[in-house]
Amino acid sequence: MPANFSKPIYADKLTSLTFFLLKGLGDTYFDGIQPNFMPQPLKILSLVFDMPHSWDMFIRNNDSNTLVFENLKSMQILGDRFSEFDLQDGSIDPIDRAWPKLVVSQLETLVLFEIPIPADVAESLMSAPLKELTYKGRSDYAHMLCQHSTSNLNELILSFDMYSELNTETFYHNTSAIFRNISKIPIVKCTVIDPDLEIDWSFVDWSYLTHLYVQDLADLDKIIDAISAMPYLVFASLSVNINYNTDPRSFVTILKGLSQRYPKPVPSKLETLLISLYGIDSTLDSALYELKWYYPKLKHIGKVK
């Protein structure tokens, strides 16, 4: 139900704020009365949008286009995953989505989900002393963020759904550019969802990745080669999607034949490997242990739950 405020809301001492702006509520959400929040006291901010958003709820000095969050430590902005598709046909420009200039000089944790980001906003956010950055969305926006300094980060978490990508070539270019140039970040995690089985893993170059999660994987053979070229990878979770064109036994054959295909183990740091082959889990256990020869530092091999 729309909120029914009888008088304007003015909050000047809040240190934590979670705010939702949802489709279907429109201009009636506040019954014509928009709340006003002072940005300066906030330490934790979470905004959830599934419509073109506005920052007008925050009070600005001198009506400028700059919002100063002097004490903000954590910011989470969750958008609509389908809003990014609007950009593909040029119908919506993210610059027109009323982003102000954000000053977040104390920001340490940033979470962005499915939200188009103008270049100047990305630059402003990445100039903060960030320790943790989580981004879920298109790879071109992730690349735009990571082009700026990431030297302060302790953890980088990126998540991509191939259904949102412009094309696979752009995905290969953007992600390889990111994961080849982040050597100083201790933990680098990437999740890939590939429902249409589009990715050719022979084109992936993710040198400094430490954790990999793949859903709907089509080619186990190529991803084993790709993982072998990720020297800092310590954890991998792979869910193989067996479609009607695939003989499930071929995946077990691949695993059992590693020692014949490769003359020696790879110099990999991989410690944990989880694999699920839908439909043939009962025959997978013995084949998995062949991987201990190929990845000598493996401590745990199991199946994705």
Side-chain angles (χ1 to χ4, degrees), residues 159-179:
S159 181
F160 306 105
D161 186 336
M162 294 306 296
Y163 190 55
S164 302
E165 291 294 319
L166 297 178
N167 53 65
T168 53
E169 289 74 18
T170 300
F171 174 78
Y172 300 143
H173 169 78
N174 290 329
T175 56
S176 295
I178 293 169
F179 295 127

Side-chain angles (χ1 to χ4, degrees), residues 186-207:
I187 299 174
V188 181
K189 299 180 180 181
C190 180
T191 296
V192 179
I193 302 172
D194 187 19
D196 294 328
L197 311 178
E198 297 178 83
I199 297 177
D200 183 342
W201 287 91
S202 63
F203 289 100
V204 167
D205 181 8
W206 297 353
S207 303

Side-chain angles (χ1 to χ4, degrees), residues 117 126 133-151 153 155-160 165 169-185 187-192 203-211 230 232:
I117 311 166
M126 294 303 293
L133 171 62
T134 300
Y135 180 80
K136 181 175 186 256
R138 280 207 333 235
S139 62
D140 49 345
Y141 290 112
H143 185 208
M144 181 169 59
L145 284 166
C146 293
Q147 281 181 319
H148 301 284
S149 175
T150 57
S151 60
L153 288 177
E155 186 170 15
L156 173 64
I157 302 173
L158 300 179
S159 181
F160 306 105
E165 291 294 319
E169 289 74 18
T170 300
F171 174 78
Y172 300 143
H173 169 78
N174 290 329
T175 56
S176 295
I178 293 169
F179 295 127
R180 282 198 309 257
N181 296 290
I182 49 174
S183 59
K184 295 182 179 180
I185 304 176
I187 299 174
V188 181
K189 299 180 180 181
C190 180
T191 296
V192 179
F203 289 100
V204 167
D205 181 8
W206 297 353
S207 303
Y208 289 106
L209 197 67
T210 64
H211 294 69
M230 300 176 189
Y232 297 96

Side-chain angles (χ1 to χ4, degrees), residues 27-275:
D27 295 335
T28 66
Y29 180 64
F30 299 111
D31 232 7
I33 302 173
Q34 179 168 281
N36 292 308
F37 303 104
M38 288 291 291
Q40 286 81 1
L42 286 172
K43 294 183 179 180
I44 300 173
L45 175 62
S46 179
L47 302 177
V48 182
F49 303 108
D50 67 352
M51 60 188 293
H53 58 276
S54 171
W55 294 78
D56 292 342
M57 69 193 80
F58 296 104
I59 298 170
R60 313 180 195 189
N61 293 329
N62 302 320
D63 296 323
S64 70
N65 194 41
T66 299
L67 265 178
V68 180
F69 293 90
E70 294 177 355
N71 297 291
L72 197 64
K73 296 289 186 181
S74 175
M75 175 185 284
Q76 176 176 271
I77 305 177
L78 309 183
D80 176 8
R81 70 180 301 236
F82 295 105
S83 67
E84 295 190 5
F85 295 106
D86 296 332
L87 304 176
Q88 296 184 28
D89 61 14
S91 60
I92 294 180
D93 185 340
I95 305 300
D96 294 334
R97 288 177 173 250
W99 281 87
K101 179 181 179 182
L102 300 177
V103 178
V104 285
S105 59
Q106 302 297 319
L107 192 66
E108 295 182 351
T109 300
L110 176 61
V111 178
L112 300 170
F113 275 23
E114 311 291 357
I115 192 85
I117 311 166
D120 59 336
V121 173
E123 181 178 7
S124 178
L125 292 173
M126 294 303 293
S127 67
L130 291 175
K131 301 299 181 185
E132 298 176 14
L133 171 62
T134 300
Y135 180 80
K136 181 175 186 256
R138 280 207 333 235
S139 62
D140 49 345
Y141 290 112
H143 185 208
M144 181 169 59
L145 284 166
C146 293
Q147 281 181 319
H148 301 284
S149 175
T150 57
S151 60
N152 290 325
L153 288 177
N154 293 325
E155 186 170 15
L156 173 64
I157 302 173
L158 300 179
S159 181
F160 306 105
D161 186 336
M162 294 306 296
Y163 190 55
S164 302
E165 291 294 319
L166 297 178
N167 53 65
T168 53
E169 289 74 18
T170 300
F171 174 78
Y172 300 143
H173 169 78
N174 290 329
T175 56
S176 295
I178 293 169
F179 295 127
R180 282 198 309 257
N181 296 290
I182 49 174
S183 59
K184 295 182 179 180
I185 304 176
I187 299 174
V188 181
K189 299 180 180 181
C190 180
T191 296
V192 179
I193 302 172
D194 187 19
D196 294 328
L197 311 178
E198 297 178 83
I199 297 177
D200 183 342
W201 287 91
S202 63
F203 289 100
V204 167
D205 181 8
W206 297 353
S207 303
Y208 289 106
L209 197 67
T210 64
H211 294 69
L212 175 64
Y213 306 80
V214 182
Q215 299 179 32
D216 299 312
L217 175 66
D219 197 330
L220 184 62
D221 199 9
K222 287 183 179 178
I223 200 168
I224 286 176
D225 287 338
I227 287 174
S228 303
M230 300 176 189
Y232 297 96
L233 195 72
V234 296
F235 179 96
S237 173
L238 312 175
S239 295
V240 180
N241 187 334
I242 296 176
N243 60 37
Y244 63 88
N245 289 321
T246 305
D247 180 358
R249 294 169 296 180
S250 66
F251 292 98
V252 176
T253 302
I254 289 170
L255 292 174
K256 288 186 174 181
L258 285 174
S259 58
Q260 283 74 45
R261 289 174 53 208
Y262 299 97
K264 60 182 180 179
V266 300
S268 170
K269 293 184 178 182
L270 191 65
E271 296 179 355
T272 300
L273 178 60
L274 305 179
I275 297 181

